[in-house]
Amino acid sequence: MPAIVGAVKVNSVSASAIFNIGDVYSMNPNSSAKTYAGGGSFNTGDGIRIDLNQSHTYVYDKDKLDQPVT
């Protein structure tokens, strides 16, 4: 069934968003990110105490490409 669309004003669309006007069969947004985090990085809550002594996060990536988004 055809869509009837009136006036549209778009102020902005982010890099990982989809903007569509009209009929659509399938929409598949794709994005990727690489996050480096050491031990205890994503802890949340009240009164958390982390003692990692000499913790290191190594970020060397020799192949430069993990999983491409196409």
Side-chain angles (χ1 to χ4, degrees), residues 2-70:
I4 299 173
V5 179
V8 176
K9 179 182 179 182
V10 178
N11 291 328
S12 67
V13 177
S14 69
S16 63
I18 291 179
F19 177 75
N20 174 58
I21 295 178
D23 296 335
V24 171
Y25 173 72
S26 177
M27 295 182 2
N28 300 312
N30 291 327
S31 66
S32 64
K34 185 182 284 190
T35 303
Y36 298 109
S41 294
F42 298 112
N43 293 325
T44 58
D46 296 330
I48 293 176
R49 182 171 182 250
I50 306 295
D51 184 14
L52 298 172
N53 199 5
Q54 293 182 356
S55 177
H56 299 283
T57 301
Y58 298 101
V59 296
Y60 176 70
D61 188 9
K62 63 182 176 181
D63 62 359
K64 306 280 191 262
L65 186 65
D66 293 327
Q67 186 172 0
V69 175
T70 58

